[in-house]
Amino acid sequence: MAQRPPDPSAGRYAPRADRDAPRVEESVPGVSHREPVGLRERLSLNRMGTFDWDLDRGAMELDPGAMEVFDLRPGEYDGAPMSLISRVPPEEGMRLDAALSQALQDGSSSYGAYFRVQCRDGTRRWTHSQGRILHDARGVAYRVIGIVREATSELADSALLRSLQQERQRQTVMVQQTTAALARALSVRDVTRVLTGAGGARRFGADALVLGLVENDRFEVIATAGLDGDVPEDMMRSRLDDTLPLSEAVRHRRPSFLSTRGELVARYPQLRPYVDVLPTGSAAFLPLIAQDTVLGALGLFNHEPAVQSTEARNLALALAGVVAQSLQRATLFDQEREFATGLQAAMLPRRLPPIAGGEVTVRYHPASVGRDVGGDWYDVIALPQGRVGLVVGDVQGHDTHAAAVMGQLRIALRAYASEGHAPETVLVRASRFLAELETERFATCTYVQADLESGALHLARAGHLGPLICNSSRHIDWPETSGGLPLGLATGFGHDHFPETQLFLEPGSTLLLCTDGLVEQPGRDISAGMAALSATVRAGPAELDALADRLSDHLWARPGSDDDMALLLLHRSAVPGEAATPRMRLHVHQADPAGTAEVRSALRRTLDQWRAGAVTHDVEVAASELIANALTHTESGALVSVELLPGAPPRIRLEVEDRSSQWPRRRRPGETATSGRGLLLVEALADRWGAEPRGSGKALWCEFTVPSGPGGTGT
């Protein structure tokens, strides 16, 4: 039964009553029970003394108690304050002088300051001085009377309190940091990243740690940090017995705390061969228990030997509980993610059809955070007449619902494409299908119908990124392509129209289709990602699979993405024995008023890559005139081709082909005529021009010599 302390207000106060105080040998002999003790003796017994400082004469009188505080002997002090410099270091004297000067300046009647005294044995001890300042009738200070006392014990108690307070603050910060870091961890991999990353062990007040999980009645180490070497392979998996500290903690569901490495090895001899890996100090082995289930164990190691206090042990157990809850949550999350990714993998193509005249490769990566499941997909579809359909799309969202919608949409789009419909028709039907699913999700998509024999690409887009084309000379182009609204939204708004663009893939060239997860990073403009993609393709390996790996590693996996990613590469094989000539081909539809402007823009980009210099403008003007002639005077569109012919100097050849057999006729328009000058302009600008019959029509051509010198490729 606890004893109550005596009440000073109740009768005679006896502080020794009801207290079992220890017996102490008296260190101040000569004071009897009843002998009266004077004031100076009372002060001296409490290691305190007095001083009297005459400011007018500059003399300071110290009593024996004060002499003892300053550790001065008779004859070592002459009454002048400056003679105390042998005991008061200069920096401490400045502290005292500053306190007194401030009091005099403020007109205060007292002052006080802590300072250190240098004892004769070289040690320093804290001292406190407090003085009363006396003023004459004029208000001028003339005398200071005060006390000095030893304050080492007092400040030691304060330092201990501050140390305890700082330790509590440190522990609070440790708990907050660990809890905050683990709160963002979704998977078991995320939890181990928190524990083994920068500052991971320090969050637990340790220099190193080892984390292991229970799996099939065995203990497996899954993460380490701060050790002097790797955990030996034969120690990574062990039985659940008492031969190793972590497995023992799991088996008996209780922690163990050891003060030194020697104590650890003595208790677990099996660790003796691996003693160099372990830190030399204290260790703690904590079972990870959540909802009465032992998930694993956590080992914490320090370089310094120590006996863990009760507070330190309780803190370690609390942090182990946080880790256990995070691991339990992460394990459930991983199980859900495994199910979702398995569902998504089942919905993507298992194999790709063979491609005549080229090769195709694909890559898909789930998001690096979250449930690792999303709505991105790809598809390669064998079509009639040796053609191939290429699809890349993205259903809104990153969950199992997005994956389910993706699977249905992919199957529907594959069915429409397999029937041989044009790209626009395929996307229109896919948009109506998605709208009829009555889901709130929409999808972006690019569908390409490719004929590798001719190189013709018929493309339609639904709110998706356009294609990238890299030719045999590693020139990169993002051709301008028309597009419509995303699938589902287009039908909902009554604008399910997806204009078709015709492009050409020359021999030795590669077509790239991707979702925005490859080029878009949080906080970065997508144009920067597209520029990075262009640079990586330009500098990447020639082999298609190696190029796909490079794009995945450098643009998606290395920075880590919050989005999933689908990538499709189609390469058209070069003609054996035939040197690849840099060439670009575009198709302009009969009813496309913006087609000429798009061709001029593409021409400008291509000619800039070829360094055509001043001749670029002439080629653009000639192309505009020949396209206008084809669209105005024939009932077909125009196929525009431009190629860089080798030679000294090199030449640029422009061809515009149509399906009309009517031969061009050069006219001489009058001054007021508004047309008829097209061929005259071509003749004036080009070095050579002419017309050639083609199978079902004709082609008008013209050639331009590339100038030499700065800005041109000519020599």
Side-chain angles (χ1 to χ4, degrees):
M1 183 174 178
Q3 296 178 343
R4 292 187 302 172
D7 184 359
S9 64
R12 179 175 177 271
Y13 173 52
R16 293 180 298 176
D18 300 326
R19 288 190 172 93
D20 187 14
R23 302 294 179 177
V24 179
E25 182 178 352
E26 178 56 62
S27 60
V28 186
V31 179
S32 66
H33 283 64
R34 301 293 182 264
E35 178 183 352
V37 179
L39 175 61
R40 292 188 182 278
E41 288 78 8
R42 296 175 192 175
L43 294 176
S44 180
L45 286 173
N46 288 281
R47 306 187 67 81
M48 185 182 299
T50 66
F51 67 89
D52 188 345
W53 188 358
D54 188 332
L55 299 178
D56 293 334
R57 293 189 302 112
M60 178 186 293
E61 178 185 345
L62 300 178
D63 70 356
M67 294 282 288
E68 185 177 348
V69 170
F70 283 104
D71 196 15
L72 292 170
R73 295 173 181 173
E76 291 182 341
Y77 178 65
D78 60 3
M82 287 302 296
S83 64
L84 292 175
I85 195 170
S86 64
R87 290 290 178 265
V88 181
E91 65 274 13
E92 303 299 326
M94 293 176 62
R95 188 200 309 274
L96 275 171
D97 181 68
L100 178 58
S101 299
Q102 187 64 45
L104 293 174
Q105 183 178 349
D106 297 341
S108 301
S109 59
S110 65
Y111 79 97
Y114 286 94
F115 62 99
R116 284 177 294 183
V117 170
Q118 175 118 12
C119 299
R120 66 180 61 254
D121 62 0
T123 62
R124 291 193 177 191
R125 65 188 181 198
W126 281 101
T127 304
H128 182 257
S129 173
Q130 184 171 344
R132 174 65 186 269
I133 305 174
L134 303 180
H135 299 80
D136 60 18
R138 297 172 301 166
V140 178
Y142 69 92
R143 190 174 182 182
V144 181
I145 300 174
I147 61 172
V148 290
R149 59 187 177 84
E150 186 177 331
T152 301
S153 299
E154 171 190 333
L155 292 185
D157 292 341
S158 298
L160 177 60
L161 292 175
R162 287 196 301 271
S163 177
L164 292 175
Q165 184 178 10
Q166 292 172 356
E167 178 63 17
R168 294 191 189 99
Q169 292 176 347
R170 186 185 69 87
Q171 293 177 357
T172 301
V173 170
M174 286 170 55
V175 173
Q176 290 175 343
Q177 290 179 344
T178 304
T179 303
L182 291 174
R184 297 187 295 270
L186 296 178
S187 64
V188 173
R189 183 179 59 183
D190 295 336
V191 174
T192 59
R193 188 183 298 121
V194 170
L195 298 182
T196 61
R202 299 308 307 167
R203 292 193 185 100
F204 296 86
D207 298 313
L209 62 80
V210 175
L211 173 67
L213 298 181
V214 177
E215 184 177 356
N216 299 327
D217 294 328
R218 292 183 66 84
F219 186 82
E220 180 178 0
V221 175
I222 65 169
T224 64
L227 298 178
D228 293 333
D230 296 331
V231 175
E233 190 63 31
D234 58 344
M235 302 293 289
M236 294 295 290
R237 294 181 62 88
S238 61
R239 296 174 298 171
L240 290 178
D241 54 25
D242 297 344
T243 60
L244 293 174
L246 289 175
S247 59
E248 182 187 42
V250 169
R251 184 182 180 192
H252 296 286
R253 304 167 66 97
R254 65 170 180 262
S256 60
F257 300 90
L258 304 175
S259 301
T260 64
R261 183 174 64 183
E263 185 179 351
L264 173 64
V265 174
R267 185 167 174 178
Y268 303 99
Q270 193 171 344
L271 294 175
R272 191 175 302 278
Y274 316 110
V275 66
D276 293 338
V277 178
L278 302 172
T280 59
S282 60
F285 303 98
L286 314 167
L288 302 177
I289 304 174
Q291 295 184 346
D292 201 35
T293 301
V294 182
L295 305 176
L298 177 66
L300 303 176
F301 302 89
N302 289 282
H303 294 306
E304 297 296 330
V307 177
Q308 291 93 333
S309 64
T310 302
E311 292 79 5
R313 295 187 180 195
N314 290 337
L315 175 64
L317 291 173
L319 292 176
V322 174
V323 174
Q325 293 176 7
S326 299
L327 282 173
Q328 184 185 50
R329 183 180 66 248
T331 301
L332 295 175
F333 179 87
D334 285 345
Q335 292 173 353
E336 178 184 354
R337 181 182 58 183
E338 183 178 359
F339 167 76
T341 53
L343 172 65
Q344 186 179 34
M347 294 179 177
L348 292 174
R350 292 183 178 272
R351 62 181 61 89
L352 302 179
I355 304 296
E359 60 177 323
V360 64
T361 190
V362 294
R363 293 292 184 273
Y364 173 79
H365 289 290
S368 61
V369 298
R371 287 179 170 80
D372 282 11
V373 63
D376 287 18
W377 88 94
Y378 63 85
D379 208 347
V380 180
I381 309 164
L383 301 177
Q385 301 175 354
R387 296 170 299 165
V388 61
L390 310 172
V391 185
V392 167
D394 181 4
V395 175
Q396 175 197 17
H398 301 93
D399 51 24
T400 53
H401 186 190
V405 172
M406 176 273 288
Q408 297 177 78
L409 182 59
R410 173 186 162 260
I411 293 172
L413 196 148
R414 167 178 274 267
Y416 302 141
S418 299
E419 294 174 355
H421 297 294
E424 178 179 7
T425 303
V426 170
L427 293 191
V428 168
R429 295 192 176 188
S431 180
R432 293 175 181 175
F433 172 83
L434 183 57
E436 291 171 358
L437 287 180
E438 296 184 354
T439 177
E440 296 180 355
R441 307 299 175 96
F442 62 84
T444 64
C445 180
T446 294
Y447 174 57
V448 178
Q449 194 178 87
D451 182 357
L452 291 187
E453 183 177 353
S454 65
L457 306 175
H458 296 268
L459 177 147
R461 292 191 303 115
H464 201 80
L465 282 174
L468 176 150
I469 294 179
C470 175
N471 67 14
S472 58
S473 300
R474 291 304 179 94
H475 291 147
I476 305 298
D477 187 32
W478 293 86
E480 296 182 5
T481 56
S482 302
L485 294 175
L487 302 179
L489 287 181
T491 301
F493 286 114
H495 296 291
D496 49 357
H497 172 57
F498 305 95
E500 182 180 308
T501 301
Q502 184 176 352
L503 304 173
F504 288 88
L505 191 66
E506 299 300 328
S509 299
T510 300
L511 171 75
L512 182 150
L513 302 175
C514 68
T515 57
D516 56 6
L518 186 63
V519 294
E520 195 170 32
Q521 292 288 336
R524 189 176 71 164
D525 190 84
I526 192 172
S527 60
M530 295 172 68
L533 175 60
S534 299
T536 306
V537 172
R538 185 182 298 112
E543 201 272 324
L544 206 62
D545 279 321
L547 176 60
D549 291 337
R550 175 74 61 85
L551 295 174
S552 299
D553 293 341
H554 285 258
L555 298 183
W556 186 88
R558 180 166 297 179
S561 176
D562 294 340
D563 200 359
D564 44 346
M565 180 277 290
L567 168 69
L568 188 151
L569 295 172
L570 172 69
H571 179 75
R572 185 184 180 194
S573 301
V575 178
E578 181 178 317
T581 301
R583 181 166 60 174
M584 181 200 73
R585 288 198 291 175
L586 296 171
H587 185 268
V588 184
H589 290 275
Q590 172 74 26
D592 184 7
T596 302
E598 293 175 357
V599 168
R600 291 188 63 159
S601 177
L603 270 175
R604 191 178 305 112
R605 293 195 305 271
T606 300
L607 295 175
D608 285 344
Q609 292 177 344
W610 293 348
R611 298 181 182 178
V615 80
T616 299
H617 178 264
D618 296 344
V619 177
E620 287 185 44
V621 173
S624 298
E625 295 299 331
L626 294 180
I627 293 171
N629 280 343
L631 299 182
T632 302
H633 301 296
T634 70
E635 296 182 354
S636 67
L639 176 59
V640 182
S641 301
V642 60
E643 58 184 322
L644 181 63
L645 302 177
R651 292 167 295 131
I652 293 175
R653 181 180 177 89
L654 170 70
E655 292 185 0
V656 177
E657 182 178 346
D658 59 54
R659 295 182 180 275
S660 173
S661 59
Q662 184 178 358
W663 213 248
R665 182 168 55 90
R666 185 172 57 180
R667 293 181 291 172
R668 296 288 182 182
E671 295 182 0
T672 60
T674 59
S675 63
R677 297 183 176 86
L679 293 181
L680 294 177
L681 280 173
V682 172
E683 183 178 29
L685 295 174
D687 296 314
R688 299 171 55 208
W689 76 281
E692 295 179 357
R694 296 291 163 88
S696 58
K698 65 179 183 301
L700 295 181
W701 61 269
C702 51
E703 292 183 358
F704 303 81
T705 301
V706 178
S708 60
T713 59
T715 57

